[in-house]
Amino acid sequence: MKTNNYSAGILQYIPFFYVIWSDDLLSYSEISVVKNAIEQDDTVTKEDYKYLTQCLDKKNPPSNNELKHWKNTIDNSNVKLVENDTYPLSTFSQKMICHHFAACPFNTHLKEIEINLGIQPNHYNHLFEIEIDKEITSNFYDSNEIDTILKGAQTKVIDEFRKDLKNPIFNWQTRRTKEAFRTHVLKQIAFLAEKGYGAMAFPEVYGGTENMPGYAAIFENMMFVDGSMAVKFGVQFGLFGGSIQKLGTKKHHDLYLSATGKANLLGSFAMTETGHGSNVRGIKTTATYDEKTDSIVIHTPGKNDNKEYIGNALDSTMASVFAQLIVKGKNQGVHAILVPIRDKNHQLMAGVTIEDNGYKLGLNGVDNGKIWFHQVRVPRENLLNKYGDITPEGNYHSAIENPSKRFFTMLGTLVGGRICVARAGLGGAKKALAIAVKHALKRRQFNDSIKIQEDLLMDYPSHQLRLTPAVASCFVYDVTLTHIMKTYSDPNLVDKRKIETQVAGLKSIITWFANDTIQECREACGGKGYLLENQIADLKGDVDIFTTFEGDNHVLLQLAAKGVLSDFKSEFNSAGFTAVLKLLGARISDKLNTINPAYTNNVDKDHLYNPKFHKHAFNFRTRRLTYTVAMRIRDYVKKGIPAYQAFLKVQTHLLALGKAYSIELAYTIFDDFTATISDDKNKALFKKLGVLYALHHLRKDATWYLEQGYINGTKSKAIRQRVERLSTELRPHIGVLVDGFGIPEHCLEAPIAN
């Protein structure tokens, strides 16, 4: 065969011949298509025709040397192959001719081959050493700058942590048995403890830096590795260690905090019970003070009063047990007591029974278990006594005399755990979105039957609408949780009731968002998203529990709503109901302003994109729901219905209020943050993300706004169109935005993300 320089007629077919012969599967039907095109091609001379048809002989295929010569000819052409050209290979061939010859018209016969054989760049781009110009995302924004904005004051901590995650111990792999999985996770926890991350939130004297915001930030980053590791870490250092730090006093700190931070003392957080779940105040486990022996007796009184879903139950040697503290026959309410549950040989202590919860939907690297106590005796000093103590004389004493206030104060110190759960859920959503977006930026499907190249999934408006608002929401929730944790960690904030209300609502909407987003990402990746190797399946199983972990979301939303109703000034229960109504008197008697028709009908872009409109709309919804739920409760009480029953009747109304309040809170925090960004380009980007978040939620709740007359049908339609438009406008930057999450490359090992 000919191996010297080619004529123009031959050269234009060389890329096609190389592609169709490279797989050694050239069929007779393919030969027929190519041969028919050559026969009709008037640019081909007789000599060209002879060579080209000879190359189509299956009985005498091109030699390896000929294939190499074709490849060298292609590689040395200095021509780029552009994936998004209408006919990439035909256009590439034309450019090769232009490189060597003066005349280079587009050959429609080559186009027919490309169409009829369905040859696409993903079939052959691995065959060429030439540069392939994909042009799938813009570099107008810098992902490192975006990541730095999100990291904020914790940049150094997060960067160091991400470097440590490069250790091989964090490499992802499928572990099919819970025993092997748990063993590996425990090793990861020991590694992190050795690096000082376990004690991060503790005082310096106990090995920490008192950096709770930094702790929350790395907690989210742990989800980029594995949910089981994150939760095990949270149980050991956040819940067990946090209970000692927040509920104990110096004697407990001196004895246990350093060992806990180093993971030398493994502990569990025994609060939840099978029979009571979210009703912490109603737990049945008892802690009865025995004056004769100056000890506290821990006991599980009934079959369903055992501690349930306790993380670290199989590995720990001590538990923070929440129980009803009974002193001299009087129940002083729920308190936490440190109870050794295993000896130095890791054998269960007398009176302690523990069962493995077994396999779960996710988080199978966490050793959840059930715990029963049968007359287990511990020293009086094991009572975590910051808010309630038993004196050496055997008397109960607390600086907070009101039992209800004391209970909520104790629980309020543990609100940081809910913030971390929300951050973990957000981390799972970020990783799922990064995988789904990266997949959509390379996966092609369908075309318009004119161009040969199929379209990228990310170029479909429907795909943009599925993923882009979720990406925007991640930015809003990231900024919100950073702000909330900073506020919560402020030592000058004595009264934490307001932050409790805020966290209760935010934890709910963010963990629900995370689950919805991960499911959407799974579907957006088709069958590939269902494969374990692509990690979205693990994220689905791991993040699912966050909607009920650290408080059931429905219960927490009601807590948030009750906080709104009471204006954070009184505990919301039947006894405080009159005070609540008195507090709301001004709101109840104050009729909401009638919305101006011009406002209701306004579809102007500047208006729809204006944060003042978004804040007004969100605030209107919160105020209106507050007003109407309070009126309903008042009317029920006037009819003689007990306050508790009145609240049951408006339960769904309370849930709507809690959600509305939380969405308004998140948007307001994000908008305020955006104003502080110094760089105009990034500020504009964050503003656009905020607009998309706001309009997306107004679109989701459009039915309510229409019912209230706040917007009309035309404005509702305009909002929907703007959400679609913004999702499309952000399409060129979507790859940079998910890279802006800062997920290390070594944590994105899903094949479809690479």
Side-chain angles (χ1 to χ4, degrees):
M1 289 187 178
K2 186 173 182 179
T3 57
N4 57 347
N5 292 332
Y6 300 110
S7 66
I10 293 175
L11 183 61
Q12 62 186 336
Y13 282 90
I14 294 302
F16 285 85
F17 279 17
Y18 183 68
V19 169
I20 63 180
W21 276 111
S22 291
D23 60 6
D24 286 327
L25 295 174
L26 187 63
S27 67
Y28 285 106
S29 61
E30 290 175 327
I31 292 173
S32 176
V33 168
V34 178
K35 191 170 183 179
N36 184 58
I38 294 172
E39 289 174 347
Q40 297 182 42
D41 189 349
D42 55 12
T43 67
V44 174
T45 65
K46 288 184 178 180
E47 186 176 351
D48 294 338
Y49 178 81
K50 181 179 179 182
Y51 174 77
L52 293 173
T53 53
Q54 184 181 356
C55 290
L56 295 174
D57 186 357
K58 278 183 67 70
K59 295 181 180 179
N60 187 27
S63 65
N64 289 335
N65 285 335
E66 185 75 2
L67 287 170
K68 289 179 182 178
H69 190 69
W70 288 348
K71 188 175 187 304
N72 289 334
T73 301
I74 294 168
D75 292 344
N76 295 331
S77 65
N78 296 320
V79 176
K80 280 188 178 182
L81 186 141
V82 181
E83 275 198 333
N84 57 4
D85 278 338
T86 305
Y87 306 106
L89 196 56
S90 301
T91 304
F92 176 75
S93 293
Q94 179 192 17
K95 290 177 181 177
M96 282 184 57
I97 301 298
C98 294
H99 180 72
H100 293 285
F101 300 92
C104 51
F106 184 79
N107 191 334
T108 58
H109 299 292
L110 295 177
K111 178 190 76 174
E112 295 302 319
I113 297 175
E114 195 167 3
I115 292 174
N116 290 324
L117 294 187
I119 304 175
Q120 297 186 42
N122 60 297
H123 296 157
Y124 56 75
N125 55 22
H126 63 288
L127 301 174
F128 300 160
E129 293 179 3
I130 57 172
E131 182 178 357
I132 297 179
D133 188 2
K134 297 186 178 182
E135 296 181 353
I136 59 172
T137 190
S138 167
N139 61 358
F140 181 74
Y141 295 105
D142 187 329
S143 61
N144 291 323
E145 291 179 5
I146 295 171
D147 183 30
T148 299
I149 291 172
L150 292 180
K151 288 182 294 191
Q154 302 304 322
T155 296
K156 183 178 179 181
V157 170
I158 295 172
D159 287 346
E160 286 299 318
F161 183 72
R162 288 174 180 171
K163 287 179 183 177
D164 286 330
L165 291 183
K166 291 182 179 180
N167 190 286
I169 198 173
F170 300 115
N171 290 349
W172 184 89
Q173 70 178 77
T174 301
R175 291 180 170 83
R176 304 298 292 179
T177 65
K178 66 180 188 296
E179 290 77 15
F181 199 172
R182 291 171 178 178
T183 298
H184 184 73
V185 169
L186 186 57
K187 290 178 182 177
Q188 291 175 324
I189 298 306
F191 177 91
L192 292 171
E194 185 179 346
K195 289 288 183 177
Y197 294 113
M200 181 179 288
F202 299 165
E204 288 186 30
V205 67
Y206 303 113
T209 57
E210 292 188 88
N211 186 0
M212 190 64 184
Y215 174 92
I218 67 166
F219 195 74
E220 177 188 314
N221 279 254
M222 287 182 199
M223 290 299 296
F224 302 155
V225 176
D226 181 72
S228 289
M229 181 184 78
V231 170
K232 180 90 166 180
F233 183 94
V235 169
Q236 168 65 22
F237 307 112
L239 294 179
F240 177 68
S243 66
I244 296 172
Q245 180 186 9
K246 300 291 186 180
L247 300 179
T249 51
K250 188 175 185 299
K251 63 182 179 182
H252 303 111
H253 300 167
D254 291 344
L255 283 171
Y256 304 117
L257 272 189
S258 293
T260 299
K262 295 174 182 177
N264 292 332
L265 170 63
L266 295 179
S268 53
F269 186 80
M271 177 183 280
T272 301
E273 293 180 357
T274 302
H276 285 82
S278 297
N279 183 14
V280 177
R281 204 169 190 172
I283 59 175
K284 297 298 184 181
T285 301
T286 57
T288 306
Y289 177 63
D290 181 2
E291 290 185 77
K292 293 180 180 179
T293 59
D294 193 28
S295 62
I296 298 173
V297 180
I298 312 298
H299 186 64
T300 303
K303 180 179 179 182
N304 290 321
D305 300 329
N306 60 284
K307 299 300 179 180
E308 178 78 280
Y309 313 118
I310 307 305
N312 239 4
L314 281 299
D315 287 330
S316 61
T317 57
M318 181 174 281
S320 285
V321 179
F322 286 76
Q324 303 289 350
L325 181 63
I326 301 170
V327 181
K328 293 186 175 180
K330 183 178 180 181
N331 189 342
Q332 300 293 346
V334 176
H335 289 66
I337 304 96
L338 294 177
V339 181
I341 57 176
R342 287 185 174 86
D343 60 24
K344 60 182 180 181
N345 297 318
H346 207 67
Q347 298 300 306
L348 289 175
M349 301 291 281
V352 177
T353 302
I354 298 180
E355 289 184 4
D356 193 336
N357 272 128
Y359 283 98
K360 308 173 292 273
L361 177 64
L363 301 177
N364 282 302
V366 181
D367 50 325
N368 293 98
K370 305 175 185 179
I371 307 179
W372 290 262
F373 301 96
H374 182 73
Q375 305 295 336
V376 176
R377 193 177 297 271
V378 299
R380 171 174 54 85
E381 287 77 12
N382 281 30
L383 172 67
L384 295 176
N385 61 337
K386 182 174 183 179
Y387 297 105
D389 198 8
I390 302 173
T391 66
E393 294 75 30
N395 298 312
Y396 179 80
H397 171 75
S398 174
I400 306 174
E401 294 184 6
N402 186 306
S404 184
K405 186 176 182 180
R406 182 167 64 242
F407 171 75
F408 284 109
T409 300
M410 289 175 61
L411 290 191
T413 62
L414 304 175
V415 167
R418 284 180 182 157
I419 301 176
C420 288
V421 169
R423 288 221 73 126
L426 181 62
K430 284 181 178 180
K431 183 170 180 178
L433 280 167
I435 294 169
V437 167
K438 288 177 181 294
H439 175 63
L441 288 174
K442 69 175 185 176
R443 175 72 160 88
R444 295 181 179 274
Q445 186 125 299
F446 304 114
N447 58 22
D448 58 6
S449 75
I450 296 176
K451 63 180 181 181
I452 185 64
Q453 177 74 316
E454 290 187 306
D455 292 322
L456 288 170
L457 292 181
M458 206 66 236
D459 287 334
Y460 288 103
S462 59
H463 215 76
Q464 295 161 9
L465 194 59
R466 295 172 74 180
L467 301 180
T468 312
V471 171
S473 296
C474 282
F475 281 87
V476 172
Y477 293 143
D478 187 305
V479 168
T480 299
L481 290 175
T482 297
H483 171 83
I484 289 293
M485 180 55 87
K486 181 180 178 182
T487 304
Y488 170 75
S489 303
D490 184 353
N492 297 317
L493 183 68
V494 179
D495 189 347
K496 296 185 183 293
R497 281 175 290 180
K498 181 176 181 179
I499 204 78
E500 290 171 37
T501 298
Q502 294 175 335
V503 171
L506 290 172
K507 184 265 182 183
S508 299
I509 66 168
I510 293 173
T511 54
W512 269 327
F513 158 78
N515 274 277
D516 291 344
T517 297
I518 293 169
Q519 177 61 28
E520 194 66 65
C521 290
R522 206 295 295 159
E523 294 179 26
C525 294
K528 287 291 186 181
Y530 200 64
L531 296 177
L532 285 180
E533 67 176 13
N534 288 317
Q535 301 182 14
I536 295 178
D538 276 352
L539 289 170
K540 270 175 60 69
D542 290 349
V543 173
D544 186 276
I545 191 62
F546 294 166
T547 60
T548 52
F549 181 40
E550 286 294 301
D552 179 279
N553 283 357
H554 286 87
V555 175
L556 291 181
L557 272 189
Q558 292 177 76
L559 175 64
K562 291 174 182 178
V564 174
L565 284 170
S566 63
D567 203 20
F568 322 115
K569 290 181 181 177
S570 65
E571 296 148 9
F572 199 86
N573 52 38
S574 56
F577 179 70
T578 304
V580 172
L581 288 185
K582 190 180 297 183
L583 181 67
L584 286 168
R587 294 187 189 181
I588 294 173
S589 61
D590 176 29
K591 299 295 183 183
L592 294 170
N593 294 329
T594 302
I595 302 300
N596 189 314
Y599 187 90
T600 302
N601 299 330
N602 194 345
V603 296
D604 183 70
K605 174 185 174 183
D606 290 340
H607 166 69
L608 294 178
Y609 284 20
N610 193 328
K612 290 183 179 179
F613 161 58
H614 308 147
K615 289 180 179 178
H616 188 278
F618 289 142
N619 184 250
F620 173 84
R621 181 164 161 79
T622 303
R623 288 180 63 226
R624 181 69 185 176
L625 288 169
T626 302
Y627 171 81
T628 52
V629 74
M631 288 294 289
R632 288 180 65 194
I633 293 171
R634 186 184 69 167
D635 290 343
Y636 284 131
V637 172
K638 280 184 175 181
K639 294 175 182 178
I641 296 176
Y644 178 76
Q645 294 298 324
F647 283 115
L648 289 184
K649 288 179 175 293
V650 299
Q651 198 171 45
T652 54
H653 202 146
L654 288 171
L655 292 172
L657 172 57
K659 178 183 174 185
Y661 165 77
S662 304
I663 292 170
E664 178 189 1
L665 175 65
Y667 177 76
T668 302
I669 291 173
F670 182 79
D671 185 65
D672 291 344
F673 171 82
T674 301
T676 68
I677 299 176
S678 57
D679 177 67
D680 289 339
K681 184 171 73 171
N682 286 320
K683 178 184 283 190
L685 173 64
F686 273 64
K687 279 187 175 180
K688 181 171 283 191
L689 293 169
V691 171
L692 179 54
Y693 174 85
L695 294 183
H696 175 63
H697 276 285
L698 293 176
R699 172 176 172 265
K700 286 173 67 177
D701 292 321
T703 301
W704 186 89
Y705 285 102
L706 286 165
E707 289 174 353
Q708 301 300 319
Y710 187 86
I711 61 175
N712 64 8
T714 303
K715 191 167 186 175
S716 177
K717 180 179 179 181
I719 290 172
R720 173 177 56 79
Q721 291 173 334
R722 286 295 171 184
V723 171
E724 294 172 358
R725 175 66 180 271
L726 284 166
S727 297
T728 299
E729 287 179 5
L730 287 168
R731 159 61 185 91
H733 315 294
I734 194 72
V736 176
L737 286 173
V738 295
D739 285 343
F741 293 156
I743 304 174
E745 288 186 13
H746 56 275
C747 293
L748 281 174
E749 298 171 340
I752 59 172
N754 297 296

